[in-house]
Amino acid sequence: MKQIKVNYQKELEKTLVALEKEGRVPTLLLHACCAPCSSYVLEYLSSYFRITVLFYNPNISEASEYEKRKEELKRMIDSMPVRYPVQYKGCEYSPKEFYQKVPDRASDQEGGESCFLCYRFRLEESVKAAAAGGFDYFTTTLSISPLKNAGKLNEIGRELSEQYGVPYLFSDFKKKNGYKRSIELSEEYGLYRQNFCGCIFSKKEAQSREEMSHTRVLHGEKII
């Protein structure tokens, strides 16, 4: 039997309409990977939720990169006008957690099973924080990236929601030109936009793509 593909943007819109009808402003724990990906999500959701942004990303390959992304996220939160308050919540940088839970993906490109493991352990830490803090919902900015599997993210979110008892805010933030808007906001706020997801494996893939593009240019090929 063919599985029906869920439109998670429409699921999100249904939730937002219901909240407006109820006349309440719930709390949301938003897992954030970086400032650029968070920009559109905060602009969008801060009209409906009181948001706490959780920066939990032990997958990031170097401490300097981690600090740069963290500080950019905090700067953007302080700069962005919002309807309801947005707070920042940081976590200790602990890359050992990533390497313990995600094996070397030498033969697994970005978007594969290793990435799904990474989604899960970051989302699980997020739902634990949401449960401990008594939040009404939790979700992640990750689905805004064209390289991230929104279906898998929402599937994991649903499972963790059932396990920990905190509703997951279904979403696919790349929809409705969300990714495009994040680029516009990055330019507006002068945000640092990294060219790789965060882990050492994605960094190597990005470097490989750049080297390939450079080689093609040297050979007179047109890069589109």
Side-chain angles (χ1 to χ4, degrees):
M1 184 176 178
K2 187 176 180 181
Q3 188 174 8
I4 299 173
K5 189 174 182 180
V6 179
N7 186 322
Y8 289 106
Q9 173 60 32
K10 287 187 176 180
E11 291 299 310
L12 172 58
E13 290 170 1
K14 288 178 185 177
T15 299
L16 299 182
V17 168
L19 291 175
E20 285 196 312
K21 287 182 178 179
E22 292 174 13
R24 68 187 184 99
V25 184
T27 54
L28 170 68
L29 187 78
L30 174 66
H31 166 262
C33 54
C34 62
C37 289
S38 305
S39 59
Y40 165 72
V41 179
L42 287 177
E43 181 184 66
Y44 184 17
L45 295 185
S46 61
S47 291
Y48 302 93
F49 298 91
R50 298 183 188 277
I51 300 173
T52 295
V53 178
L54 178 69
F55 188 69
Y56 175 71
N57 300 286
N59 58 305
I60 294 176
S61 63
E62 297 172 2
S64 59
E65 178 73 17
Y66 182 91
E67 289 299 318
K68 191 169 186 176
R69 296 192 193 190
K70 180 183 75 174
E71 291 305 317
E72 281 293 87
L73 178 60
K74 291 167 70 175
R75 180 173 71 84
M76 187 200 66
I77 291 172
D78 290 339
S79 303
M80 180 174 282
V82 291
R83 183 178 180 185
Y84 296 113
V86 175
Q87 297 181 335
Y88 170 85
K89 180 178 174 63
C91 294
E92 184 180 350
Y93 179 50
S94 52
K96 285 184 179 180
E97 292 182 34
F98 173 73
Y99 293 111
Q100 287 171 352
K101 297 179 181 179
V102 179
D104 188 333
R105 73 173 204 221
S107 60
D108 184 9
Q109 298 298 304
E110 186 164 354
E113 291 298 325
S114 294
C115 287
F116 297 165
L117 291 173
C118 186
Y119 296 172
R120 181 176 292 277
F121 88 79
R122 283 191 281 172
L123 278 172
E124 185 158 19
E125 190 68 23
S126 300
V127 72
K128 286 179 180 178
F135 285 83
D136 297 308
Y137 291 90
F138 80 103
T139 195
T140 178
T141 63
L142 287 170
S143 68
I144 199 169
S145 169
L147 297 176
K148 299 295 184 292
N149 186 321
K152 193 66 179 179
L153 283 164
N154 283 282
E155 177 187 317
I156 293 170
R158 178 188 286 109
E159 291 173 6
L160 293 173
S161 174
E162 293 172 355
Q163 183 178 348
Y164 289 91
V166 182
Y168 183 75
L169 188 68
F170 295 108
S171 51
D172 187 354
F173 293 118
K174 68 177 70 65
K175 300 291 187 181
K176 297 184 69 174
N177 290 319
Y179 180 68
K180 179 182 177 182
R181 179 58 180 156
S182 74
I183 294 174
E184 294 171 351
L185 287 168
S186 295
E187 293 177 356
E188 181 179 335
Y189 289 96
L191 299 176
Y192 162 63
R193 287 186 68 88
Q194 63 280 349
N195 66 346
F196 67 106
C197 177
C199 71
I200 188 62
F201 314 125
S202 63
K203 185 175 184 178
K204 288 178 180 178
E205 287 175 22
Q207 290 171 340
S208 178
R209 287 194 299 269
E210 288 181 359
E211 290 170 3
M212 188 177 298
S213 296
H214 181 65
T215 301
R216 290 175 64 187
V217 169
L218 289 177
H219 284 81
E221 293 185 40
K222 186 176 180 181
I223 306 298
I224 299 176

